[in-house]
Amino acid sequence: MGPDQPTLGKLLRGLRQRNGWTLKEMSERSGIPVSTLSKVEHDRLTLTYDKLQQLSQRLGMRMSELFAEEGEGSETTVTARRSIGRLDRAIQVTTPNYDYHYLCPEIRRKRMIPVLTSIRAKTVAEFGELVRHSGEEYIYVLDGTIEVHTEFYDPVVLEKGESIYIDSQMGHAYIVAGGCEEATVLGVCSSADESLMSSLMSLHGPDSGVADAPPAAKVRDLRPVREAGEAAVAKRRSSGS
């Protein structure tokens, strides 16, 4: 390898330095031991494909970005993408446990999915099997009180103004806490997987109750989805009156 050709160690060190991380911080973010990262940066060790994939997923990056030198592709780093999140433009999905509003649906291949959710499930038994999907997620309680159940931790109760950040690959469920009929939360799901939106939509299953909204990758004209969602809401309100 020529002296001017970058090594994996040089690229990872450049990535770490650009983000201002210490080796320990990068280890905590990536799940790869400090000693291993240090050896890689000094070109005394390389990483297997599985470890590179783990690194890119945990850092929320495409694998190709791991091999990009500083300044490389700088002309394309600013996408200038923008979307105003409005409920009347959201993809709405209604299930027995939740009402989901997937915001900013017109942006394709996004790495984070903002979701406004109304929670009604009162028990884990009512909720069903814990869900899992790629990436990480952040949930902020806007109204009401929720109880968060996760695969490896005891349940935790969150009140209005409190939040939680979790590994989405860990089984999890959100239900309303005792004495609360319905809660509203704002969630942000993030993953290096560009099909995250489709994965989230598939969790609702075929009997989700609303509009049978198609995966984001297949949505072209959102008006039918919005109209179906509005019809479902109107029907629910009329039946409850």
Side-chain angles (χ1 to χ4, degrees), residues 192-211:
D193 181 2
E194 292 181 350
S195 63
L196 175 61
M197 182 73 171
S198 298
S199 299
L200 292 175
M201 298 291 281
S202 70
L203 292 175
H204 306 311
D207 303 320
S208 53
V210 220

Side-chain angles (χ1 to χ4, degrees), residues 24-174:
K24 182 179 179 181
E25 288 171 333
M26 189 165 184
S27 173
E28 291 170 348
R29 292 172 181 271
S30 65
I32 297 176
V34 171
S35 58
T36 300
L37 290 174
S38 178
K39 290 176 182 177
V40 172
E41 286 196 5
H42 289 87
D43 295 320
R44 295 199 298 268
L45 187 69
T46 188
L47 294 176
T48 63
Y49 176 82
D50 288 345
K51 287 296 184 183
L52 286 171
Q53 190 174 45
Q54 173 186 328
L55 187 68
S56 65
Q57 289 177 344
R58 293 287 293 271
L59 296 181
M61 305 173 65
R62 295 185 183 90
M63 197 177 295
S64 60
E65 292 179 276
L66 295 177
F67 300 98
E69 290 189 89
E70 185 174 10
E72 184 177 331
S74 58
E75 294 182 359
T76 60
T77 54
V78 179
T79 64
R81 299 202 295 177
R82 193 188 94 157
S83 174
I84 306 299
R86 295 192 175 99
L87 288 183
D88 62 348
R89 296 182 181 177
I91 293 178
Q92 180 176 335
V93 178
T94 298
T95 75
N97 296 322
Y98 298 122
D99 283 344
Y100 299 92
H101 288 85
Y102 289 93
L103 303 169
C104 308
E106 67 272 21
I107 295 184
R108 305 295 178 212
R109 302 176 63 185
K110 51 183 177 283
R111 292 190 193 171
M112 61 179 184
I113 311 295
V115 192
L116 187 66
T117 306
S118 297
I119 301 173
R120 290 185 296 275
K122 294 181 172 61
T123 66
V124 174
E126 181 181 347
F127 177 90
E129 185 177 353
L130 300 181
V131 298
R132 299 172 178 81
H133 53 86
S134 65
E136 300 177 328
E137 63 191 79
Y138 173 79
I139 300 293
Y140 181 90
V141 182
L142 294 170
D143 192 36
T145 307
I146 68 171
E147 191 171 284
V148 183
H149 291 257
T150 51
E151 188 173 1
F152 303 116
Y153 298 89
D154 292 333
V156 60
V157 173
L158 298 178
E159 298 181 349
K160 179 179 179 180
E162 296 183 322
S163 60
I164 190 168
Y165 189 111
I166 67 169
D167 174 1
S168 304
Q169 298 176 98
M170 170 176 61
H172 57 281
Y174 304 107

